[in-house]
Amino acid sequence: MRIPNGSLASCFITVKILSEFHKDAQKQALQLSTSDRWQLIQALLESLKDEANPKPKQGNL
């Protein structure tokens, strides 16, 4: 598979942005109290669980 030059540069920029976002999010999480960190972890786990097992959308009956 061949990746156009523009796409490769775009991918690099996206990875760089995500890396910076991760560092910032980590710094903010470390400033939370232990209790708030656990709440964040629980919320993230629920979000991942929902993403892995999406509920079927219900239409109008």
Tab-separated table of all heavy atoms in Angstrom:
chain	number	residue	atom	x	y	z
A	1	MET	N	0.840	-1.175	0.000
A	1	MET	CA	0.000	0.000	0.000
A	1	MET	C	0.890	1.245	0.000
A	1	MET	O	1.840	1.347	0.770
A	1	MET	CB	-0.895	-0.002	1.241
A	1	MET	CG	-1.822	1.168	1.296
A	1	MET	SD	-3.029	0.967	2.610
A	1	MET	CE	-2.412	2.119	3.775
A	2	ARG	N	0.577	2.173	-0.831
A	2	ARG	CA	1.359	3.404	-0.953
A	2	ARG	C	0.613	4.554	-0.287
A	2	ARG	O	-0.576	4.759	-0.513
A	2	ARG	CB	1.578	3.704	-2.422
A	2	ARG	CG	2.550	4.804	-2.638
A	2	ARG	CD	3.037	4.813	-4.074
A	2	ARG	NE	3.940	5.935	-4.209
A	2	ARG	CZ	3.798	6.886	-5.100
A	2	ARG	NH1	2.836	6.819	-5.979
A	2	ARG	NH2	4.634	7.886	-5.142
A	3	ILE	N	1.301	5.311	0.561
A	3	ILE	CA	0.705	6.461	1.253
A	3	ILE	C	1.197	7.728	0.587
A	3	ILE	O	2.407	7.937	0.483
A	3	ILE	CB	1.090	6.469	2.745
A	3	ILE	CG1	0.628	5.191	3.423
A	3	ILE	CG2	0.532	7.694	3.445
A	3	ILE	CD1	1.102	5.036	4.836
A	4	PRO	N	0.293	8.590	0.122
A	4	PRO	CA	0.720	9.860	-0.474
A	4	PRO	C	1.489	10.701	0.538
A	4	PRO	O	1.231	10.648	1.738
A	4	PRO	CB	-0.589	10.547	-0.870
A	4	PRO	CG	-1.625	9.488	-0.837
A	4	PRO	CD	-1.139	8.427	0.097
A	5	ASN	N	2.467	11.486	0.063
A	5	ASN	CA	3.305	12.305	0.946
A	5	ASN	C	2.490	13.185	1.881
A	5	ASN	O	2.803	13.318	3.048
A	5	ASN	CB	4.260	13.172	0.127
A	5	ASN	CG	5.440	12.373	-0.361
A	5	ASN	OD1	5.688	11.282	0.109
A	5	ASN	ND2	6.170	12.919	-1.319
A	6	GLY	N	1.460	13.828	1.381
A	6	GLY	CA	0.630	14.699	2.214
A	6	GLY	C	-0.019	13.938	3.361
A	6	GLY	O	-0.130	14.427	4.472
A	7	SER	N	-0.435	12.703	3.081
A	7	SER	CA	-1.077	11.893	4.117
A	7	SER	C	-0.097	11.519	5.208
A	7	SER	O	-0.440	11.499	6.387
A	7	SER	CB	-1.682	10.629	3.510
A	7	SER	OG	-2.713	10.957	2.622
A	8	LEU	N	1.125	11.222	4.831
A	8	LEU	CA	2.145	10.848	5.814
A	8	LEU	C	2.434	12.020	6.747
A	8	LEU	O	2.506	11.859	7.959
A	8	LEU	CB	3.421	10.394	5.099
A	8	LEU	CG	4.513	9.801	5.972
A	8	LEU	CD1	3.972	8.612	6.761
A	8	LEU	CD2	5.682	9.372	5.122
A	9	ALA	N	2.558	13.206	6.184
A	9	ALA	CA	2.795	14.400	7.006
A	9	ALA	C	1.607	14.649	7.925
A	9	ALA	O	1.775	14.995	9.091
A	9	ALA	CB	3.043	15.609	6.111
A	10	SER	N	0.411	14.464	7.405
A	10	SER	CA	-0.797	14.654	8.198
A	10	SER	C	-0.846	13.660	9.359
A	10	SER	O	-1.205	14.017	10.481
A	10	SER	CB	-2.029	14.499	7.306
A	10	SER	OG	-3.198	14.623	8.066
A	11	CYS	N	-0.463	12.414	9.103
A	11	CYS	CA	-0.442	11.388	10.152
A	11	CYS	C	0.565	11.760	11.242
A	11	CYS	O	0.287	11.619	12.430
A	11	CYS	CB	-0.090	10.026	9.572
A	11	CYS	SG	-1.398	9.290	8.606
A	12	PHE	N	1.730	12.254	10.835
A	12	PHE	CA	2.754	12.649	11.801
A	12	PHE	C	2.249	13.781	12.686
A	12	PHE	O	2.427	13.764	13.906
A	12	PHE	CB	4.037	13.077	11.082
A	12	PHE	CG	5.098	13.569	12.015
A	12	PHE	CD1	5.850	12.678	12.771
A	12	PHE	CD2	5.339	14.927	12.164
A	12	PHE	CE1	6.820	13.133	13.656
A	12	PHE	CE2	6.308	15.392	13.045
A	12	PHE	CZ	7.053	14.484	13.790
A	13	ILE	N	1.614	14.754	12.084
A	13	ILE	CA	1.077	15.896	12.841
A	13	ILE	C	0.002	15.423	13.821
A	13	ILE	O	-0.024	15.833	14.980
A	13	ILE	CB	0.531	16.975	11.889
A	13	ILE	CG1	1.690	17.632	11.143
A	13	ILE	CG2	-0.285	18.026	12.641
A	13	ILE	CD1	1.271	18.513	9.984
A	14	THR	N	-0.867	14.517	13.374
A	14	THR	CA	-1.922	13.986	14.237
A	14	THR	C	-1.324	13.255	15.432
A	14	THR	O	-1.756	13.440	16.573
A	14	THR	CB	-2.852	13.049	13.443
A	14	THR	OG1	-3.425	13.778	12.366
A	14	THR	CG2	-3.941	12.478	14.329
A	15	VAL	N	-0.306	12.436	15.203
A	15	VAL	CA	0.347	11.700	16.289
A	15	VAL	C	0.984	12.677	17.270
A	15	VAL	O	0.894	12.511	18.483
A	15	VAL	CB	1.387	10.701	15.732
A	15	VAL	CG1	2.272	10.150	16.836
A	15	VAL	CG2	0.690	9.568	14.997
A	16	LYS	N	1.620	13.715	16.762
A	16	LYS	CA	2.259	14.722	17.617
A	16	LYS	C	1.222	15.437	18.490
A	16	LYS	O	1.423	15.621	19.691
A	16	LYS	CB	3.016	15.731	16.743
A	16	LYS	CG	3.776	16.766	17.491
A	16	LYS	CD	4.970	16.185	18.193
A	16	LYS	CE	5.796	17.306	18.806
A	16	LYS	NZ	6.705	16.816	19.805
A	17	ILE	N	0.099	15.803	17.890
A	17	ILE	CA	-0.972	16.478	18.634
A	17	ILE	C	-1.526	15.561	19.716
A	17	ILE	O	-1.721	15.975	20.862
A	17	ILE	CB	-2.086	16.950	17.683
A	17	ILE	CG1	-1.579	18.107	16.820
A	17	ILE	CG2	-3.334	17.372	18.461
A	17	ILE	CD1	-2.501	18.483	15.684
A	18	LEU	N	-1.761	14.295	19.367
A	18	LEU	CA	-2.286	13.347	20.354
A	18	LEU	C	-1.291	13.114	21.486
A	18	LEU	O	-1.681	12.970	22.641
A	18	LEU	CB	-2.651	12.020	19.677
A	18	LEU	CG	-3.883	12.060	18.788
A	18	LEU	CD1	-4.065	10.729	18.065
A	18	LEU	CD2	-5.127	12.401	19.580
A	19	SER	N	-0.021	13.100	21.163
A	19	SER	CA	1.007	12.926	22.181
A	19	SER	C	0.989	14.092	23.172
A	19	SER	O	1.065	13.891	24.389
A	19	SER	CB	2.380	12.815	21.517
A	19	SER	OG	3.393	12.766	22.483
A	20	GLU	N	0.875	15.310	22.662
A	20	GLU	CA	0.814	16.495	23.527
A	20	GLU	C	-0.461	16.482	24.367
A	20	GLU	O	-0.446	16.831	25.551
A	20	GLU	CB	0.906	17.776	22.701
A	20	GLU	CG	2.261	17.994	22.067
A	20	GLU	CD	3.387	18.075	23.079
A	20	GLU	OE1	3.227	18.755	24.111
A	20	GLU	OE2	4.435	17.442	22.839
A	21	PHE	N	-1.574	16.083	23.750
A	21	PHE	CA	-2.839	15.988	24.486
A	21	PHE	C	-2.711	14.987	25.630
A	21	PHE	O	-3.156	15.238	26.751
A	21	PHE	CB	-3.973	15.574	23.541
A	21	PHE	CG	-5.266	15.296	24.253
A	21	PHE	CD1	-6.064	16.336	24.694
A	21	PHE	CD2	-5.658	13.996	24.504
A	21	PHE	CE1	-7.253	16.080	25.369
A	21	PHE	CE2	-6.846	13.737	25.175
A	21	PHE	CZ	-7.642	14.779	25.601
A	22	HIS	N	-2.077	13.849	25.356
A	22	HIS	CA	-1.897	12.812	26.372
A	22	HIS	C	-1.087	13.347	27.543
A	22	HIS	O	-1.440	13.134	28.710
A	22	HIS	CB	-1.206	11.584	25.754
A	22	HIS	CG	-0.849	10.541	26.749
A	22	HIS	ND1	0.406	10.445	27.288
A	22	HIS	CD2	-1.590	9.564	27.321
A	22	HIS	CE1	0.425	9.445	28.148
A	22	HIS	NE2	-0.765	8.896	28.193
A	23	LYS	N	-0.001	14.054	27.255
A	23	LYS	CA	0.832	14.617	28.324
A	23	LYS	C	0.037	15.601	29.180
A	23	LYS	O	0.122	15.588	30.406
A	23	LYS	CB	2.055	15.321	27.728
A	23	LYS	CG	3.084	14.391	27.149
A	23	LYS	CD	4.213	15.192	26.515
A	23	LYS	CE	5.146	14.312	25.716
A	23	LYS	NZ	6.174	15.103	25.014
A	24	ASP	N	-0.738	16.454	28.532
A	24	ASP	CA	-1.535	17.448	29.248
A	24	ASP	C	-2.610	16.769	30.102
A	24	ASP	O	-2.816	17.131	31.259
A	24	ASP	CB	-2.174	18.428	28.266
A	24	ASP	CG	-2.834	19.596	28.965
A	24	ASP	OD1	-2.188	20.196	29.852
A	24	ASP	OD2	-3.996	19.898	28.637
A	25	ALA	N	-3.283	15.771	29.533
A	25	ALA	CA	-4.325	15.051	30.272
A	25	ALA	C	-3.724	14.330	31.475
A	25	ALA	O	-4.325	14.297	32.553
A	25	ALA	CB	-5.032	14.062	29.355
A	26	GLN	N	-2.541	13.764	31.303
A	26	GLN	CA	-1.882	13.070	32.402
A	26	GLN	C	-1.542	14.040	33.527
A	26	GLN	O	-1.772	13.748	34.708
A	26	GLN	CB	-0.615	12.376	31.901
A	26	GLN	CG	0.062	11.510	32.938
A	26	GLN	CD	1.264	10.796	32.382
A	26	GLN	OE1	1.902	11.264	31.439
A	26	GLN	NE2	1.586	9.661	32.947
A	27	LYS	N	-1.023	15.215	33.193
A	27	LYS	CA	-0.698	16.227	34.207
A	27	LYS	C	-1.954	16.635	34.973
A	27	LYS	O	-1.934	16.758	36.199
A	27	LYS	CB	-0.080	17.460	33.551
A	27	LYS	CG	1.337	17.265	33.086
A	27	LYS	CD	1.844	18.529	32.403
A	27	LYS	CE	3.171	18.314	31.721
A	27	LYS	NZ	3.606	19.500	30.966
A	28	GLN	N	-3.052	16.835	34.245
A	28	GLN	CA	-4.294	17.242	34.899
A	28	GLN	C	-4.822	16.135	35.799
A	28	GLN	O	-5.298	16.399	36.905
A	28	GLN	CB	-5.339	17.623	33.849
A	28	GLN	CG	-5.022	18.921	33.143
A	28	GLN	CD	-6.082	19.288	32.132
A	28	GLN	OE1	-7.223	18.841	32.224
A	28	GLN	NE2	-5.719	20.098	31.161
A	29	ALA	N	-4.740	14.891	35.343
A	29	ALA	CA	-5.231	13.767	36.149
A	29	ALA	C	-4.424	13.630	37.436
A	29	ALA	O	-4.980	13.324	38.491
A	29	ALA	CB	-5.172	12.475	35.344
A	30	LEU	N	-3.133	13.879	37.365
A	30	LEU	CA	-2.292	13.761	38.555
A	30	LEU	C	-2.574	14.846	39.580
A	30	LEU	O	-2.219	14.706	40.748
A	30	LEU	CB	-0.808	13.766	38.155
A	30	LEU	CG	-0.338	12.513	37.421
A	30	LEU	CD1	1.087	12.701	36.926
A	30	LEU	CD2	-0.455	11.281	38.302
A	31	GLN	N	-3.224	15.919	39.161
A	31	GLN	CA	-3.584	16.984	40.090
A	31	GLN	C	-4.884	16.681	40.830
A	31	GLN	O	-5.228	17.363	41.792
A	31	GLN	CB	-3.692	18.316	39.341
A	31	GLN	CG	-2.363	18.808	38.816
A	31	GLN	CD	-2.496	20.053	37.965
A	31	GLN	OE1	-3.584	20.556	37.723
A	31	GLN	NE2	-1.373	20.567	37.491
A	32	LEU	N	-5.608	15.655	40.394
A	32	LEU	CA	-6.868	15.289	41.042
A	32	LEU	C	-6.601	14.567	42.354
A	32	LEU	O	-5.559	13.935	42.533
A	32	LEU	CB	-7.682	14.362	40.128
A	32	LEU	CG	-8.170	14.935	38.804
A	32	LEU	CD1	-8.793	13.831	37.954
A	32	LEU	CD2	-9.168	16.047	39.036
A	33	SER	N	-7.580	14.606	43.238
A	33	SER	CA	-7.483	13.829	44.468
A	33	SER	C	-7.623	12.345	44.111
A	33	SER	O	-8.074	11.987	43.023
A	33	SER	CB	-8.605	14.226	45.434
A	33	SER	OG	-9.858	13.803	44.910
A	34	THR	N	-7.227	11.486	45.029
A	34	THR	CA	-7.324	10.046	44.783
A	34	THR	C	-8.757	9.640	44.484
A	34	THR	O	-9.016	8.865	43.565
A	34	THR	CB	-6.789	9.263	46.003
A	34	THR	OG1	-5.443	9.673	46.247
A	34	THR	CG2	-6.832	7.773	45.761
A	35	SER	N	-9.690	10.189	45.232
A	35	SER	CA	-11.110	9.874	45.018
A	35	SER	C	-11.561	10.286	43.618
A	35	SER	O	-12.248	9.525	42.929
A	35	SER	CB	-11.953	10.577	46.075
A	35	SER	OG	-13.314	10.405	45.819
A	36	ASP	N	-11.161	11.479	43.196
A	36	ASP	CA	-11.539	11.953	41.866
A	36	ASP	C	-10.878	11.126	40.770
A	36	ASP	O	-11.460	10.893	39.712
A	36	ASP	CB	-11.183	13.426	41.696
A	36	ASP	CG	-12.104	14.340	42.484
A	36	ASP	OD1	-13.203	13.895	42.886
A	36	ASP	OD2	-11.722	15.504	42.711
A	37	ARG	N	-9.650	10.660	41.030
A	37	ARG	CA	-8.982	9.788	40.046
A	37	ARG	C	-9.757	8.492	39.870
A	37	ARG	O	-9.920	8.005	38.755
A	37	ARG	CB	-7.557	9.470	40.480
A	37	ARG	CG	-6.602	10.602	40.278
A	37	ARG	CD	-5.194	10.141	40.544
A	37	ARG	NE	-4.393	11.244	41.060
A	37	ARG	CZ	-3.180	11.109	41.525
A	37	ARG	NH1	-2.599	9.947	41.569
A	37	ARG	NH2	-2.521	12.165	41.956
A	38	TRP	N	-10.229	7.916	40.971
A	38	TRP	CA	-10.998	6.679	40.869
A	38	TRP	C	-12.297	6.916	40.103
A	38	TRP	O	-12.723	6.072	39.314
A	38	TRP	CB	-11.293	6.097	42.260
A	38	TRP	CG	-10.136	5.287	42.779
A	38	TRP	CD1	-9.383	5.566	43.872
A	38	TRP	CD2	-9.589	4.096	42.206
A	38	TRP	NE1	-8.408	4.619	44.012
A	38	TRP	CE2	-8.511	3.699	43.012
A	38	TRP	CE3	-9.915	3.321	41.095
A	38	TRP	CZ2	-7.743	2.566	42.743
A	38	TRP	CZ3	-9.147	2.184	40.818
A	38	TRP	CH2	-8.087	1.819	41.639
A	39	GLN	N	-12.936	8.052	40.334
A	39	GLN	CA	-14.158	8.371	39.580
A	39	GLN	C	-13.855	8.505	38.097
A	39	GLN	O	-14.619	8.047	37.250
A	39	GLN	CB	-14.791	9.654	40.106
A	39	GLN	CG	-15.454	9.491	41.458
A	39	GLN	CD	-16.103	10.780	41.932
A	39	GLN	OE1	-15.875	11.856	41.383
A	39	GLN	NE2	-16.919	10.675	42.971
A	40	LEU	N	-12.720	9.116	37.766
A	40	LEU	CA	-12.302	9.247	36.370
A	40	LEU	C	-12.050	7.875	35.751
A	40	LEU	O	-12.497	7.593	34.644
A	40	LEU	CB	-11.042	10.113	36.280
A	40	LEU	CG	-10.420	10.284	34.899
A	40	LEU	CD1	-11.407	10.928	33.930
A	40	LEU	CD2	-9.145	11.097	34.988
A	41	ILE	N	-11.364	7.013	36.492
A	41	ILE	CA	-11.092	5.654	35.996
A	41	ILE	C	-12.394	4.904	35.753
A	41	ILE	O	-12.562	4.244	34.711
A	41	ILE	CB	-10.184	4.887	36.989
A	41	ILE	CG1	-8.785	5.488	36.967
A	41	ILE	CG2	-10.148	3.402	36.671
A	41	ILE	CD1	-7.891	5.013	38.085
A	42	GLN	N	-13.331	4.992	36.683
A	42	GLN	CA	-14.614	4.308	36.517
A	42	GLN	C	-15.365	4.835	35.298
A	42	GLN	O	-15.942	4.060	34.535
A	42	GLN	CB	-15.459	4.453	37.782
A	42	GLN	CG	-14.917	3.651	38.946
A	42	GLN	CD	-15.647	3.954	40.247
A	42	GLN	OE1	-16.194	5.037	40.441
A	42	GLN	NE2	-15.643	2.977	41.148
A	43	ALA	N	-15.344	6.148	35.106
A	43	ALA	CA	-16.023	6.743	33.952
A	43	ALA	C	-15.368	6.284	32.641
A	43	ALA	O	-16.061	5.975	31.668
A	43	ALA	CB	-16.011	8.261	34.052
A	44	LEU	N	-14.033	6.245	32.627
A	44	LEU	CA	-13.330	5.786	31.424
A	44	LEU	C	-13.626	4.320	31.128
A	44	LEU	O	-13.842	3.938	29.968
A	44	LEU	CB	-11.821	6.002	31.578
A	44	LEU	CG	-11.353	7.452	31.549
A	44	LEU	CD1	-9.888	7.547	31.971
A	44	LEU	CD2	-11.563	8.057	30.178
A	45	LEU	N	-13.647	3.485	32.166
A	45	LEU	CA	-13.951	2.071	31.968
A	45	LEU	C	-15.370	1.875	31.438
A	45	LEU	O	-15.606	1.055	30.542
A	45	LEU	CB	-13.755	1.289	33.268
A	45	LEU	CG	-12.309	1.087	33.699
A	45	LEU	CD1	-12.259	0.441	35.084
A	45	LEU	CD2	-11.552	0.246	32.694
A	46	GLU	N	-16.321	2.629	31.975
A	46	GLU	CA	-17.701	2.550	31.478
A	46	GLU	C	-17.778	2.977	30.016
A	46	GLU	O	-18.457	2.351	29.214
A	46	GLU	CB	-18.632	3.419	32.327
A	46	GLU	CG	-19.071	2.786	33.617
A	46	GLU	CD	-19.887	1.508	33.392
A	46	GLU	OE1	-20.801	1.501	32.551
A	46	GLU	OE2	-19.595	0.518	34.076
A	47	SER	N	-17.059	4.033	29.687
A	47	SER	CA	-17.045	4.525	28.317
A	47	SER	C	-16.464	3.486	27.364
A	47	SER	O	-17.006	3.240	26.282
A	47	SER	CB	-16.239	5.821	28.238
A	47	SER	OG	-16.149	6.272	26.912
A	48	LEU	N	-15.366	2.853	27.783
A	48	LEU	CA	-14.758	1.803	26.951
A	48	LEU	C	-15.687	0.603	26.805
A	48	LEU	O	-15.790	0.009	25.736
A	48	LEU	CB	-13.418	1.369	27.550
A	48	LEU	CG	-12.285	2.374	27.430
A	48	LEU	CD1	-11.086	1.915	28.257
A	48	LEU	CD2	-11.895	2.568	25.975
A	49	LYS	N	-16.360	0.256	27.909
A	49	LYS	CA	-17.291	-0.865	27.862
A	49	LYS	C	-18.440	-0.570	26.904
A	49	LYS	O	-18.821	-1.410	26.086
A	49	LYS	CB	-17.838	-1.149	29.275
A	49	LYS	CG	-18.689	-2.402	29.364
A	49	LYS	CD	-19.047	-2.701	30.808
A	49	LYS	CE	-20.221	-1.850	31.205
A	49	LYS	NZ	-20.761	-2.188	32.523
A	50	ASP	N	-18.975	0.646	26.976
A	50	ASP	CA	-20.066	1.040	26.077
A	50	ASP	C	-19.609	1.054	24.624
A	50	ASP	O	-20.350	0.678	23.720
A	50	ASP	CB	-20.613	2.416	26.456
A	50	ASP	CG	-21.333	2.409	27.793
A	50	ASP	OD1	-21.678	1.314	28.285
A	50	ASP	OD2	-21.558	3.504	28.337
A	51	GLU	N	-18.381	1.483	24.407
A	51	GLU	CA	-17.839	1.542	23.046
A	51	GLU	C	-17.620	0.135	22.489
A	51	GLU	O	-17.858	-0.121	21.316
A	51	GLU	CB	-16.516	2.303	23.066
A	51	GLU	CG	-15.966	2.612	21.703
A	51	GLU	CD	-14.709	3.448	21.772
A	51	GLU	OE1	-14.688	4.445	22.512
A	51	GLU	OE2	-13.743	3.098	21.073
A	52	ALA	N	-17.182	-0.774	23.356
A	52	ALA	CA	-16.919	-2.151	22.919
A	52	ALA	C	-18.212	-2.926	22.686
A	52	ALA	O	-18.252	-3.840	21.861
A	52	ALA	CB	-16.061	-2.870	23.952
A	53	ASN	N	-19.259	-2.574	23.416
A	53	ASN	CA	-20.544	-3.271	23.305
A	53	ASN	C	-21.660	-2.260	23.085
A	53	ASN	O	-22.462	-2.015	23.992
A	53	ASN	CB	-20.833	-4.076	24.585
A	53	ASN	CG	-19.747	-5.077	24.871
A	53	ASN	OD1	-19.395	-5.862	24.026
A	53	ASN	ND2	-19.210	-5.042	26.079
A	54	PRO	N	-21.736	-1.674	21.887
A	54	PRO	CA	-22.762	-0.642	21.666
A	54	PRO	C	-24.160	-1.229	21.783
A	54	PRO	O	-24.423	-2.354	21.378
A	54	PRO	CB	-22.467	-0.148	20.259
A	54	PRO	CG	-21.627	-1.185	19.616
A	54	PRO	CD	-20.954	-1.960	20.712
A	55	LYS	N	-25.024	-0.433	22.371
A	55	LYS	CA	-26.416	-0.849	22.503
A	55	LYS	C	-27.128	-0.580	21.180
A	55	LYS	O	-26.887	0.456	20.548
A	55	LYS	CB	-27.093	-0.087	23.635
A	55	LYS	CG	-26.489	-0.384	24.978
A	55	LYS	CD	-27.122	0.429	26.062
A	55	LYS	CE	-26.451	0.081	27.375
A	55	LYS	NZ	-26.354	1.180	28.270
A	56	PRO	N	-27.990	-1.495	20.762
A	56	PRO	CA	-28.724	-1.244	19.514
A	56	PRO	C	-29.619	-0.017	19.650
A	56	PRO	O	-30.202	0.212	20.693
A	56	PRO	CB	-29.557	-2.502	19.301
A	56	PRO	CG	-29.396	-3.332	20.516
A	56	PRO	CD	-28.347	-2.735	21.387
A	57	LYS	N	-29.647	0.783	18.591
A	57	LYS	CA	-30.487	1.973	18.611
A	57	LYS	C	-31.927	1.562	18.422
A	57	LYS	O	-32.246	0.697	17.610
A	57	LYS	CB	-30.071	2.924	17.494
A	57	LYS	CG	-28.708	3.499	17.702
A	57	LYS	CD	-28.356	4.468	16.599
A	57	LYS	CE	-26.958	5.029	16.820
A	57	LYS	NZ	-26.567	5.940	15.755
A	58	GLN	N	-32.798	2.196	19.199
A	58	GLN	CA	-34.209	1.899	19.099
A	58	GLN	C	-34.874	2.952	18.221
A	58	GLN	O	-34.685	4.135	18.414
A	58	GLN	CB	-34.870	1.897	20.477
A	58	GLN	CG	-34.347	0.787	21.368
A	58	GLN	CD	-35.025	0.801	22.728
A	58	GLN	OE1	-35.795	1.711	23.040
A	58	GLN	NE2	-34.754	-0.190	23.532
A	59	GLY	N	-35.637	2.477	17.266
A	59	GLY	CA	-36.344	3.385	16.396
A	59	GLY	C	-37.703	3.749	16.980
A	59	GLY	O	-38.102	3.252	18.035
A	60	ASN	N	-38.383	4.632	16.328
A	60	ASN	CA	-39.725	4.995	16.773
A	60	ASN	C	-40.681	3.851	16.498
A	60	ASN	O	-40.659	3.269	15.431
A	60	ASN	CB	-40.223	6.244	16.037
A	60	ASN	CG	-39.412	7.468	16.425
A	60	ASN	OD1	-38.807	7.489	17.487
A	60	ASN	ND2	-39.409	8.469	15.572
A	61	LEU	N	-41.486	3.535	17.481
A	61	LEU	CA	-42.461	2.445	17.316
A	61	LEU	C	-43.810	2.983	17.036
A	61	LEU	O	-44.255	3.977	17.382
A	61	LEU	CB	-42.498	1.564	18.577
A	61	LEU	CG	-41.205	0.821	18.859
A	61	LEU	CD1	-41.341	0.034	20.162
A	61	LEU	CD2	-40.878	-0.141	17.750
